[in-house]
Amino acid sequence: MVSILRSSGLERAGASRPLEGRVAVVTGSTSGIGLAVADTLAAQGALIVINGLGGEAEIRRLCQDLSERHQTPVRYDDANLSQAGAVMDLVDRSARAFGPVEILVNNAGIQHVGRIEEFPPEQWEAVLGINLSAVFYATRSVLPDMRRRGWGRIVNMASAHGLVGSPFTSACVAAMHGVVGLTEVTALETAGDGITCNAVCSGYVVTPAVARKDRAQATDRGISEWEVARQGSLAGQPAGRFATAEGIAGLVSFLCRPAAASITGALIRVDGGRTDC
């Protein structure tokens, strides 16, 4: 039985750090959901490459904190994900620093809100570039080594906008629907290669950006932050509460473990019933 577990990779799932030594790239990971994902993967023993915006000193402290708390190497890459070449270079630099990328979490995303007829073309291109094209280029770059090694995990953060539309978010909805389609195609093309590819379709999540937006609206309207959320973000979320970055990160880390080897092509809703009801 032990030899079977070793050969299948399941033995690692019983360890306290089931991702020990795995190389993980998490885009958009200097704050919010991405940072929570990086933190959770590091706690599971992965070698972490973070990417995103932030001041030099802030990012240096962030890497040091993650590395010291979890006793694993952490490095930062400032790749501009709006450029195809930069995305591919991110994967290449990560491989040269730590070894072939075995876990890819495509989390980076931007948003612009506006009516279709007023939507600036440059914003359309920017949103699709980071939210969709960067996912393609990163996936394209990691797959050869994953196939050679017979193991890989790709998790795409598609949000509920990968499943349903909402007004004034044409670029984000179009991009996220594209991510869902790309997830399914990737899963089909790699199903026999020890690689999984899944999409997490989250509803509204408590992040610093959401908190700042609700705080500003509460001040402007003279109501509580909870009332702002209840009337806005949570209005279409039947559970009546936000998901948490830590909860999303826990799901992502599970999808990256050996125990999740048979979960691929899944579109996992984490939206309090928004797209199920």
Side-chain angles (χ1 to χ4, degrees):
M1 176 63 75
V2 172
S3 62
I4 293 174
L5 290 173
R6 285 201 184 105
S7 65
S8 67
L10 291 176
E11 188 176 46
R12 189 187 295 232
S16 60
R17 287 160 64 96
L19 299 177
E20 190 74 48
R22 299 292 192 190
V23 178
V25 172
V26 185
T27 66
S29 50
T30 52
S31 65
I33 295 171
L35 178 56
V37 169
D39 185 83
T40 303
L41 295 179
Q44 299 296 323
L47 288 65
I48 304 295
V49 178
I50 63 172
N51 156 267
L53 303 176
E56 183 177 342
E58 174 192 4
I59 289 171
R60 186 165 54 246
R61 286 193 299 270
L62 184 60
C63 290
Q64 183 176 358
D65 173 65
L66 287 173
S67 181
E68 290 179 353
R69 281 194 295 110
H70 301 303
Q71 295 299 294
T72 193
V74 179
R75 73 185 303 270
Y76 170 73
D77 194 292
D78 65 354
N80 180 351
L81 301 185
S82 67
Q83 301 172 2
V87 177
M88 293 185 284
D89 287 345
L90 163 62
V91 173
D92 182 61
R93 284 191 295 267
S94 300
R96 283 190 275 113
F98 289 153
V101 176
E102 298 167 287
I103 296 170
L104 171 65
V105 182
N106 288 301
N107 172 74
I110 61 174
Q111 173 68 288
H112 184 83
V113 177
R115 293 180 182 276
I116 293 175
E117 65 269 30
E118 299 167 354
F119 210 94
E122 63 274 15
Q123 290 297 331
W124 172 271
E125 297 295 338
V127 172
L128 264 69
I130 291 178
N131 294 18
L132 177 58
S133 293
V135 176
F136 166 76
Y137 288 115
T139 300
R140 181 181 184 275
S141 297
V142 301
L143 281 182
D145 276 329
M146 287 183 176
R147 289 188 195 275
R148 278 192 290 271
R149 297 167 71 87
W151 199 95
R153 299 288 186 267
I154 301 171
V155 182
N156 297 325
M157 308 303 290
S159 87
H161 279 153
L163 302 173
V164 296
S166 61
F168 315 120
T169 57
S170 56
C172 185
V173 170
M176 292 307 178
H177 274 64
V179 168
V180 164
L182 179 60
T183 298
E184 294 175 326
V185 171
T186 303
L188 290 170
E189 290 189 8
T190 61
D193 299 318
I195 301 166
T196 68
C197 183
N198 297 288
V200 174
C201 302
S202 60
Y204 291 102
V205 180
V206 177
T207 65
V210 170
R212 284 193 299 271
K213 176 179 69 67
D214 286 354
R215 192 176 306 120
Q217 287 192 31
T219 300
D220 290 343
R221 297 167 59 187
I223 59 177
S224 69
E225 292 178 39
W226 166 248
E227 187 62 21
V228 169
R230 190 186 69 80
Q231 295 178 12
S233 303
L234 295 178
Q237 203 149 296
R241 61 179 179 271
F242 288 107
T244 66
E246 292 74 20
I248 300 293
L251 170 61
V252 172
S253 71
F254 173 75
L255 292 173
C256 294
R257 295 177 194 171
S262 292
I263 303 175
T264 192
L267 313 177
I268 303 175
R269 296 167 167 85
V270 189
D271 61 4
R274 176 184 175 189
T275 57
D276 292 328
C277 302

